[in-house]
Amino acid sequence: MSPVCFDTIIRGARVVTPAGVARCEIGISGGRIAALGLSLGEATEIIEAEGLIAMPGGIDSHVHISQPSGPGIEMADDFGSATRAAVAGGNTTVLPFCLPEDGQSLRVAVAEYHAKAAGNCHCDVSFHLIVKATDPVTLGQDLPALIAAGHTSFKVFMTYQGLALSDREILEVMSVAKEQGALVMVHAENEDAIEFLRDKAEREGQTDPLFHARTRPVPVEREATHRAITLAEIADVPLTIVHVSNGESLEEIRRSRARGAKVFAETCPQYITLTAADLDRAGFEGAKYVCSPPPRAASDWEAIWSGICNGDFELFSSDHCPFRFADPAGKDAPGARTSFRNIPNGIPGVETRLPILFSEGVSKGRISLERFAAITATNHARLYGLKTKGAIMVGMDADIVLWDPEMTREIRQDDLHHGSDYTPWEGFTVTGWPVRTILRGETVMHEGDVSGVPTGAHIARSAPEVLL
Ligand code: URP
Ligand code: ZN
Ligand code: ZN
Ligand code: ZN
């Protein structure tokens, strides 16, 4: 019998698997992980990874790409630039949202997103849906057909004019999710309260970017979190609360779990590194930090860290939602300076999510390598039905990122690959950096160079594990 010859062997790394961290080789064949062990033998390509850590490729299950963003406003990334940034930052799969234009059917919107993504992606992609209409065609026909085709999760909003659903509408959407086998995600902020506070601030001439944060205070999110969970309990469906920003909302989640609610929680880098004071930066620079929910107080960082460390958060995502700053189609658009209300919400972060968590979490000793892998990849795959992804295990897609845990770098806009003209983390120092990203067995990023050929594919998803 001739010895097995793999396509690729990764040699010398510490390998982070669901069973723990092991020093072993990874044998890759046909784009899948074919073997884990010592002295695996021969391969067409050997990747020497002494001193590096092999992790499952990052899965960022919360990104916005090429979304309609209002008149005169344009997102800074298309699928090419967003996924180039994603692989540069150690990711192998992203889950963007499909948001229909006003009046457009969800089915047509999904077809358009597929067309925009096809052939342009540097990592694998699968779409969550955004349900903003609850007419009989959307709920009775489009949504069931799209779920059956592998779009097994969707987001509803409790805020943003034109997107926010009433409690009744959210219950209608949840009941479709229950019947058809999909997972509901919710953006929890109380729209009426925000509108009240915004109108008041504007009447008082308080229109600077800081008032974006002041008019979306913690109780706005805490109340909506409680209400969303209550609705999910009434509809008897599991629920993901995305982008949890503060300790009081997390407390609502903890309380609901104690009474048996099936609730999953996501947080993001902005809620452990930025504060509302960033929105008060001079020269309108505060607009660069406008996102919803807004960054909170530094005291909230510790509450969020406690949830990251003890397992309350299953997911750490970026909520990458990129706009340019010095651009009339972006944050400094005409009108934005007249009121914070007109500043597009969102910040870029798909490229910096993993280095920030590695540095602040692993390098500073707050979390283990295993926990890092769980909340940046494995849990995303399980929760959202990516059956062959998210773990370094035999049979899984060979989606792997090699980390240099010793490399210290300053995050700088000039080095990033996204389409935005700034990063909120300019000058932020991190220790630990992804040096090679491998997508289904092929290197797509090495030492910052992203392959010119976009080999990412669309992935149809299975039912979320929690529904099985
Ligand atoms: O400000 C944000 N987060 N914009 C993106 C849309 C959303 O709510 O996730
Ligand atoms: Zn799709
Ligand atoms: Zn949201
Ligand atoms: Zn988002």
Side-chain angles (χ1 to χ4, degrees):
M1 231 172 54
S2 58
V4 182
C5 182
F6 297 95
D7 294 343
T8 304
I9 291 177
I10 301 172
R11 192 178 270 169
R14 282 197 290 152
V15 181
V16 183
T17 76
V21 182
R23 195 174 285 277
C24 67
E25 296 180 358
I26 306 172
I28 298 171
S29 281
R32 296 269 173 122
I33 297 169
L36 295 169
L38 301 175
S39 307
L40 289 182
E42 316 242 318
T44 309
E45 179 194 26
I46 301 285
I47 296 176
E48 296 293 352
E50 201 62 48
L52 304 181
I53 297 169
M55 292 270 199
I59 300 176
D60 194 340
S61 62
H62 189 152
V63 303
H64 304 268
I65 305 171
S66 285
Q67 258 182 220
S69 304
I73 306 289
E74 213 179 89
M75 275 204 164
D77 273 318
D78 58 18
F79 282 88
S81 61
T83 57
R84 194 176 303 124
V87 298
N91 300 283
T92 47
T93 304
V94 296
L95 272 63
F97 292 89
C98 166
L99 172 64
E101 303 269 5
D102 288 340
Q104 187 182 44
S105 82
L106 198 47
R107 213 193 274 244
V108 169
V110 170
E112 280 189 6
Y113 273 79
H114 274 256
K116 280 193 233 180
N120 293 317
C121 293
H122 293 267
C123 64
D124 286 350
V125 171
S126 189
F127 293 104
H128 303 293
L129 312 174
I130 290 176
V131 182
K132 66 182 225 185
T134 56
D135 56 277
V137 172
T138 302
L139 296 193
Q141 296 175 23
D142 286 3
L143 211 41
L146 290 166
I147 294 167
H151 305 90
T152 50
S153 49
F154 40 79
K155 184 174 176 187
V156 293
F157 286 80
M158 301 170 87
T159 183
Y160 298 140
Q161 282 171 3
L163 277 184
L165 300 184
S166 68
D167 293 357
R168 166 72 190 250
E169 289 173 315
I170 291 173
L171 284 166
E172 303 281 6
V173 175
M174 285 175 169
S175 85
V176 176
K178 184 169 175 66
E179 278 161 26
Q180 306 292 332
L183 183 62
V184 180
M185 312 156 76
V186 66
H187 179 134
E189 287 185 295
N190 180 322
E191 177 67 10
D192 276 351
I194 293 165
E195 261 318 300
F196 168 79
L197 293 170
R198 275 172 150 181
D199 287 348
K200 182 166 177 292
E202 284 180 331
R203 275 198 310 274
E204 292 167 0
Q206 296 172 323
T207 57
D208 291 344
L210 175 64
F211 289 94
H212 171 79
R214 293 266 170 90
T215 56
R216 306 179 94 99
V218 165
V220 158
E221 184 183 343
R222 185 193 63 216
E223 182 279 329
T225 301
H226 175 84
R227 183 157 40 96
I229 294 170
T230 305
L231 297 176
E233 288 175 283
I234 291 166
D236 189 25
V237 291
L239 180 69
T240 302
I241 312 281
V242 296
H243 46 48
V244 175
S245 73
N246 68 89
E248 292 184 24
S249 298
L250 182 58
E251 199 45 48
E252 290 294 342
I253 292 166
R254 288 193 182 118
R255 246 200 298 278
S256 75
R257 286 173 177 160
R259 63 176 182 266
K262 235 185 219 155
V263 177
F264 304 95
E266 174 200 80
T267 193
C268 313
Q270 43 274 35
Y271 306 122
I272 50 170
T273 53
L274 305 177
T275 70
D278 285 307
L279 281 79
D280 203 22
R281 292 192 185 208
F284 206 62
E285 293 269 314
K288 293 180 174 177
Y289 300 84
V290 166
C291 61
S292 298
R296 305 294 185 185
S299 55
D300 280 293
W301 297 353
E302 283 319 305
I304 297 296
W305 271 115
S306 81
I308 292 173
C309 296
N310 72 12
D312 283 337
F313 286 111
E314 285 82 9
L315 305 169
F316 189 84
S317 308
S318 68
D319 194 5
H320 177 77
C321 186
F323 296 95
R324 281 176 284 273
F325 176 70
D327 187 320
K331 298 237 179 209
D332 210 2
R337 289 195 186 225
T338 63
S339 171
F340 62 88
R341 181 193 288 275
N342 304 322
I343 301 168
N345 278 214
I347 59 176
V350 72
E351 196 165 352
T352 45
R353 168 186 75 127
L354 296 175
I356 288 171
L357 185 67
F358 194 99
S359 184
E360 292 294 305
V362 176
S363 301
K364 291 194 175 171
R366 289 176 166 124
I367 58 172
S368 65
L369 289 167
E370 291 95 326
R371 178 111 195 94
F372 179 89
I375 63 174
T376 60
T378 316
N379 294 347
H380 300 248
R382 295 200 173 139
L383 201 57
Y384 295 122
L386 292 158
K387 273 195 152 160
T388 59
K389 297 198 175 286
I392 299 184
M393 272 177 8
V394 171
M396 301 295 263
D397 284 359
D399 292 349
I400 295 165
V401 55
L402 298 179
W403 283 84
D404 181 343
E406 310 292 337
M407 190 184 284
T408 293
R409 288 184 58 153
E410 215 174 79
I411 293 175
R412 292 189 325 193
Q413 166 64 15
D414 284 352
D415 299 329
L416 297 179
H417 299 72
H418 63 201
S420 225
D421 59 354
Y422 77 97
T423 166
W425 289 279
E426 186 72 38
F428 192 92
T429 301
V430 292
T431 299
W433 196 260
V435 293
R436 187 190 287 262
T437 306
I438 298 167
L439 174 65
R440 286 179 276 101
E442 301 294 331
T443 293
V444 291
M445 183 281 287
H446 187 216
E447 293 175 356
D449 289 334
V450 176
S451 153
V453 187
T455 54
H458 172 260
I459 309 290
R461 288 179 287 128
S462 314
E465 208 165 87
V466 59
L467 300 176
L468 297 177

